[in-house]
Amino acid sequence: MKVLHLISGGDTGGAKTHIINLCSKLKDLVSLKIICFMYGQFYEEVKNAGIDIDVIQQSSRFDLSVVDKIAHIVKAEDYDIIHCHGARANFIGMFLKRKIKNKPFITTVHSDFDLDFQDVFYKRVVFSFLNKLSLKRFDYFISVGSALIDKIKGLGVKENRIFLLYNGFDFSKEIHYVQKDEFLSKFFDRKVFDSKIVIGNLSRLYKVKGLDVFIKAANMVAKKYPEVIFLIGGSGPQKEFLKQMISEYNLNDRVFLLGSIKNPYDFFNSIDINVISSYSETFPYSILEATALEKCCISSKVGSVPDLIEDGKNGFLFEVGDYKGLAQKIEILLQNKDLIKEFGQLLSKKAKEKFSAENMARMQFEIYKSILSKK
């Protein structure tokens, strides 16, 4: 079986992590290649993972000269399946499908396509429209988690063309990170974090990530618990808004924006409680990355997160946007510190059993076989 994956190459979020974890295991089951449209961190990470990848550069997002080049590769190499990831690859895939007949085109939907470009008006209007237009041209869809299935159906897609696949993490790989003191000392004096409970939120600084909810909850907790600090790792267009919000709440000595984090495990090793405060998610990789280090997690009840976190049993969930509910769950842990370690261990055990990269690759292989049998 030969599969060609298309992805922009500029991805920094869950789609990037998904395709690296997936293809690092899937390459043992099928013959695969990844084509992306720019050089960068994604290309280097895929290359380092021993996955076959090429770059066919675009001069702009709307440069369609790449379509003929990819079509030539598909025909010359006789790929069985073309598998797209993300809005740019979907757009290219729509035109590629006109040139490649009798080959199934699949797209993995990694996030809510109505919210992907929420922070920039032009992108929200133009790119969201083009992505939905492109999506309607695909033969089959893979939903990352159960929460997006109804969303895909809303495009007029029949259920028998949609497959469910959870994100998976390679728990077998060696994880490298620096010690807590070394990492946090890059940002502030030791006295800021010494003997403190550290609560962290690692995400891109976009509206959909609900970092305003995180800061509002921090404001409530900080008034009662002086031994707690809050860290936000990541970059994005909401940086100035969040800085202003922290200042307005007088939390400059309690809530810290760390900026872009090169190695997520440095961040997760340095915190005690991991928080996901998003308004919308499918199945965020940040939970699995933190879980690999047995970190306790509190998350908004989004996407397929409840399939991993059982509220009150191996972590905590709160309703989307409910900062008071988040603050309450944080306070429960602060009052019962043994739960922080216990929940971290229980969550890690479940994640390793059900959300491994090996399981994800095997499920993806079975999906491919099912699609080819229909052909």
Side-chain angles (χ1 to χ4, degrees):
M1 188 189 299
K2 299 185 71 172
V3 183
L4 181 66
H5 290 262
L6 303 180
I7 187 169
S8 77
D11 305 77
T12 57
K16 180 195 80 166
T17 309
H18 174 98
I19 200 167
I20 293 173
N21 281 330
L22 173 65
C23 291
S24 64
K25 303 299 180 181
L26 191 61
K27 65 183 173 67
D28 297 326
L29 302 173
V30 305
S31 174
L32 67 82
K33 177 191 282 291
I34 298 173
I35 289 178
C36 60
F37 311 122
M38 64 182 75
Y39 288 98
Q41 184 181 353
F42 174 81
Y43 173 81
E44 295 300 329
E45 288 188 32
V46 172
K47 200 79 174 171
N48 290 337
I51 301 166
D52 186 11
I53 183 169
D54 282 336
V55 176
I56 300 179
Q57 283 190 284
Q58 284 183 294
S59 59
S60 72
R61 193 182 189 96
F62 300 105
D63 174 13
L64 296 178
S65 66
V66 299
V67 174
D68 284 335
K69 296 173 185 176
I70 298 171
H72 175 75
I73 292 171
V74 172
K75 292 173 183 177
E77 299 295 329
D78 193 24
Y79 282 97
D80 299 299
I81 291 171
I82 294 86
H83 189 161
C84 298
H85 301 261
R88 183 179 291 206
N90 291 340
F91 185 64
I92 296 299
M94 176 174 65
F95 292 96
L96 183 64
K97 197 172 189 296
R98 297 177 182 178
K99 296 178 177 292
I100 304 296
K101 307 297 182 184
N102 301 317
K103 303 279 187 183
F105 276 68
I106 306 170
T107 181
T108 294
V109 181
H110 293 273
S111 57
D112 186 334
F113 38 78
D114 282 325
L115 300 177
D116 282 345
F117 304 103
Q118 191 179 34
D119 290 270
V120 180
F121 177 76
Y122 167 75
K123 291 183 177 181
R124 185 167 72 246
V125 174
V126 177
F127 292 170
S128 291
F129 169 76
L130 291 175
N131 189 31
K132 283 194 278 189
L133 181 69
S134 304
L135 284 168
K136 292 177 182 180
R137 303 299 193 271
F138 279 82
D139 300 309
Y140 298 98
F141 298 78
I142 294 171
S143 173
V144 177
S146 55
L148 285 173
I149 291 177
D150 285 340
K151 191 81 183 178
I152 297 168
K153 286 181 184 177
L155 295 171
V157 179
K158 292 182 179 179
E159 192 165 3
N160 64 355
R161 293 166 56 202
I162 305 171
F163 296 87
L164 173 63
L165 181 72
Y166 287 107
N167 278 335
F169 184 82
D170 187 1
F171 291 101
S172 65
K173 72 178 181 181
E174 187 177 358
I175 295 174
H176 300 280
Y177 53 84
V178 299
Q179 294 304 308
K180 177 179 179 178
D181 287 5
E182 182 181 348
F183 177 69
L184 294 182
S185 294
K186 297 176 183 177
F187 304 100
F188 24 66
D189 292 336
R190 184 186 178 92
K191 63 182 180 181
V192 174
F193 61 86
D194 200 24
S195 302
K196 296 288 198 300
I197 298 291
V198 183
I199 300 174
N201 191 322
L202 181 62
S203 63
R204 291 170 294 158
L205 308 188
Y206 285 80
K207 187 183 293 185
V208 72
K209 297 300 182 180
L211 293 164
D212 57 325
V213 176
F214 182 67
I215 293 171
K216 288 177 182 177
N219 182 51
M220 294 183 69
V221 174
K223 292 175 180 177
K224 301 179 184 178
Y225 297 90
E227 75 276 18
V228 180
I229 62 170
F230 300 82
L231 307 182
I232 298 173
S235 58
Q238 279 220 309
K239 179 181 177 181
E240 293 305 316
F241 167 78
L242 296 173
K243 282 176 65 176
Q244 183 178 348
M245 192 175 179
I246 291 167
S247 181
E248 287 175 355
Y249 280 121
N250 294 316
L251 293 172
N252 291 301
D253 60 343
R254 304 295 297 278
V255 180
F256 303 92
L257 294 173
L258 304 187
S260 182
I261 304 298
K262 187 174 182 180
N263 180 6
Y265 305 109
D266 291 345
F267 182 90
F268 289 128
N269 182 58
S270 301
I271 67 174
D272 300 290
I273 300 170
N274 180 38
V275 173
I276 308 290
S277 54
S278 303
Y279 290 107
S280 175
E281 289 281 359
T282 49
F283 192 88
Y285 261 105
S286 58
I287 289 183
L288 295 178
E289 289 170 334
T291 298
L293 297 180
E294 297 190 348
K295 293 300 174 179
C296 174
C297 186
I298 306 174
S299 175
S300 52
K301 201 180 293 184
V302 286
S304 297
V305 171
D307 294 341
L308 173 60
I309 298 179
E310 301 169 79
D311 190 33
K313 295 182 179 179
N314 61 3
F316 282 126
L317 298 171
F318 63 95
E319 296 298 328
V320 172
D322 181 12
Y323 66 90
K324 293 180 181 178
L326 171 56
Q328 182 185 40
K329 297 298 171 74
I330 292 172
E331 289 183 22
I332 291 172
L333 292 174
L334 295 177
Q335 293 163 9
N336 302 271
K337 291 187 176 64
D338 289 342
L339 275 181
I340 297 175
K341 185 175 181 180
E342 181 183 338
F343 280 177
Q345 292 173 340
L346 289 171
L347 195 65
S348 182
K349 183 175 183 291
K350 183 174 180 180
K352 289 172 182 176
E353 289 172 354
K354 296 192 174 183
F355 299 93
S356 69
E358 289 84 359
N359 285 346
M360 176 173 61
R362 282 194 294 269
M363 288 178 65
Q364 182 69 82
F365 180 58
E366 292 302 321
I367 290 170
Y368 288 155
K369 287 203 298 184
S370 175
I371 288 171
L372 290 177
S373 70
K374 292 180 182 182
K375 176 188 171 186

